Structure formats: C-alpha cells, structure tokens
Amino acid sequence: RFSANGFNTFQIFLDVAHLCDFYGVGEECASAFSQQEFADVWFDLWRSYVEQSSIDKAMAALKTLRPLSCCPEAMISKMFESFNVSLGSNLFTMLCHARALGVLDLISQGSQQLVWPSVPVSVWLAQEMNEPGLDSCMSSNPDLPDLLRLAFMDFIGLATAVGRVAVPPDVARQVGNVVEIFEGQQFTSGPIVQSVQGAFYFQVDGESSTRY
C-alpha cells in the first residue's frame, strides 16, 4: 500500500511509475496517484524537479513518463505547464528540446496561451536566440544536425500564429508612446517625440528623429 509520505523526491515517483508499468500494475498505480494526497505531492515535487534540473533533463523525464499507463495524458499536460513556456523568453529552446525528444505536440497544445511580448522585437528575439543557447541545443543533440533549422521553422509558425496586437486605426498616437517600425529588413523602435496631423516623429537611439 502506497503512502504519499513515503515520496520525498520526484525520482522516487519516477522509479515507482516505471516499476508498476513493468509489472503490469500501471492502472492500479494511476488510481493511487490520482488521489489528492498523491497528486499534491507529485506536482510539488515535479515543480521542484523542473526548477533544479536542466530543461533537457526535465523534458527527458516527461518523455519517459508519457507512455506509461500510470500517467494519463491529462497529468502529462499539467506537468508540462510547469515549464512556463513563453514567446520572447524560452520558446525556441523549448521547441528544440521538444522536437529532439519527440514531444512537440505538447507545445502545440499550449500554444493558445502564448502572447506577443510587450518589449521591442530586437530585445526579445535576442533573448530567444543567442549563441550560448544555440550551442547548448546543438551540443545536447549532436546526432540531429537539422534540429535548429526545424525548430526555427516551428518558432516562426508559432510566433506568426500569435501575432502582435494591432493598434486600432482610430486611436491617436501620443507623444511618449513607444512605436516599432519594420523597415530595411529590421525592426526599429523608439518613443514618439512629436505628433502632427496623423504624422509622427519618433526618436531612435536617443539621437535622430524619423518621420512617419
């Protein structure tokens, strides 16, 4: 007979889940884990496991649990929410790991919760894709040379689907508003310093002003 008090690390849950599946008592294990006392301990320990582990290690643990009969899909989906995937922070990295581990659909299921960042594109894009992050993804998956390209295509698709919130055409732009313009194949942003009859000037790099 199980007791929630006997589980003080998530690794114990992992070991028990695999043993129960191996001996064909996964459904009984799932019934025990669904009880509130177990569910509370399970998710508390899982959140700690995610915080203390690398994304790759935590995602790998999630993948090993997914096919087990003691872990229904609803439980797996709730566990995935602990990663706090967000556009402008870690979406690309998560896509790399999810694609490498074959759990890309988990991110797709939660894509409705993604929102367009409020900071300029140049800022959040640098957080999403930087050399250390790319090197980490590739070094973790040396047997997948096409991983970054495929994950980048996934990233573009999700970011495009989210889209930015458009400003209604009847809303007047005011001095102090920060605007972002896509021109010359790059994004430029800055505060509006003057607005006259629909046209406005915004400041770039604290120096020059550009009229639109």
Side-chain angles (χ1 to χ4, degrees):
R1 179 177 173 81
F2 286 157
S3 171
N5 295 329
F7 295 81
N8 52 20
T9 68
F10 191 74
Q11 186 61 51
I12 296 178
F13 270 113
L14 285 175
D15 295 340
V16 170
H18 283 90
L19 283 173
C20 288
D21 190 75
F22 179 80
Y23 286 108
V25 291
E27 293 184 2
E28 291 82 353
C29 181
S31 178
F33 285 172
S34 65
Q35 297 176 20
Q36 194 63 49
E37 63 168 331
F38 277 101
D40 292 342
V41 174
W42 174 286
F43 287 109
D44 284 343
L45 291 176
W46 167 248
R47 282 188 284 268
S48 296
Y49 186 82
V50 171
E51 292 174 0
Q52 297 169 10
S53 305
S54 66
I55 292 178
D56 192 36
K57 182 179 179 181
M59 289 283 284
L62 194 64
K63 182 183 179 181
T64 62
L65 287 171
R66 197 174 187 191
L68 303 185
S69 56
C70 64
C71 298
E73 193 64 26
M75 177 182 289
I76 296 297
S77 297
K78 186 174 180 181
M79 291 171 67
F80 185 77
E81 294 174 3
S82 299
F83 286 107
N84 192 27
V85 182
S86 62
L87 177 62
S89 176
N90 64 352
L91 177 60
F92 181 73
T93 298
M94 290 298 296
L95 284 168
C96 286
H97 290 294
R99 178 170 278 282
L101 293 167
V103 293
L104 191 61
D105 59 307
L106 288 178
I107 293 185
S108 299
Q109 291 171 13
S111 62
Q112 298 86 351
Q113 300 178 8
L114 296 174
V115 295
W116 191 270
S118 58
V119 297
V121 172
S122 58
V123 174
W124 66 257
L125 198 56
Q127 294 176 335
E128 280 280 6
M129 299 181 187
N130 50 70
E131 188 172 350
L134 298 179
D135 287 344
S136 176
C137 288
M138 288 307 300
S139 61
S140 299
N141 304 280
D143 56 330
L144 299 173
D146 213 22
L147 178 62
L148 294 183
R149 183 185 69 83
L150 294 174
F152 183 58
M153 298 301 292
D154 297 330
F155 178 82
I156 292 175
L158 286 176
T160 302
V162 172
R164 68 175 65 211
V165 178
V167 178
D170 58 339
V171 174
R173 298 173 176 84
Q174 300 178 356
V175 173
N177 290 162
V178 175
V179 295
E180 192 167 28
I181 305 295
F182 184 72
E183 185 177 64
Q185 299 185 339
Q186 65 179 0
F187 287 94
T188 304
S189 64
I192 294 177
V193 294
Q194 185 179 2
S195 179
V196 181
Q197 296 180 343
F200 63 90
Y201 294 81
F202 77 103
Q203 198 169 55
V204 181
D205 299 328
E207 298 177 359
S208 60
S209 297
T210 305
R211 180 183 186 276
Y212 280 90

